[in-house]
Amino acid sequence: MYEPIRTKSVVHRVGTGNGDHPDYPHSSRGEALDIQLAGHLAALLAVTDELGLVESAERIAGQVARLRGGQPARLPQAPTGDTVTLHQRAHDLAARALLVAASRADTTAAILAAERMDAHAAALDSVGMAGAH
């Protein structure tokens, strides 16, 4: 037959934030989304700098600075890759940023990401890549 349990069960708590694991930083969902959004925008900034789109890059850098609390590292340069590939990558990064900005209800970043998606889609359309996005 079954032996009755004679000891109290152990309750495991994951991510309670009560100091049980001081070695592990805990962040809220909002903070995690801000970090993710800043990362997508920083990647978009790198591609935008590579495309030489100075005004757009400045706007993106402003959003990254707002989210991270400091100016992003930048290395503006001449395009090293195929501009079609760069525009496609920028379009994809802007789409990711838009999704995270919408999840975070960050209207400013969402509008910027949507504008960048439109601009890169237009650039792709102008070189005959209409079906690529």
Side-chain angles (χ1 to χ4, degrees):
M1 299 292 201
Y2 295 102
E3 179 76 24
I5 297 173
R6 295 178 189 202
T7 60
K8 292 185 177 185
S9 64
V10 177
V11 176
H12 294 280
R13 293 188 181 128
V14 178
T16 59
N18 62 6
D20 289 342
H21 301 287
D23 296 339
Y24 300 106
H26 297 283
S27 61
S28 70
R29 183 177 189 285
E31 290 169 335
L33 287 173
D34 282 349
I35 292 166
Q36 189 176 17
L37 178 57
H40 289 314
L41 288 174
L44 178 59
L45 174 61
V47 176
T48 305
D49 275 339
E50 191 170 353
L51 283 166
L53 304 172
V54 177
E55 184 179 325
S56 298
E58 291 302 321
R59 291 182 59 213
I60 297 167
Q63 290 303 307
V64 174
R66 176 181 63 88
L67 291 163
R68 288 190 174 163
Q71 290 298 318
R74 295 178 64 187
L75 184 61
Q77 55 186 333
T80 57
D82 176 23
T83 56
V84 171
T85 302
L86 291 172
H87 280 294
Q88 184 62 55
R89 186 179 313 145
H91 183 273
D92 294 345
L93 289 165
R96 291 178 188 159
L98 177 58
L99 287 172
V100 177
S103 293
R104 184 67 178 117
D106 187 331
T107 307
T108 304
I111 291 170
L112 175 61
E115 289 172 356
R116 296 315 312 144
M117 281 182 68
D118 288 345
H120 293 293
L124 290 167
D125 285 344
S126 73
V127 293
M129 294 295 297
H133 60 271

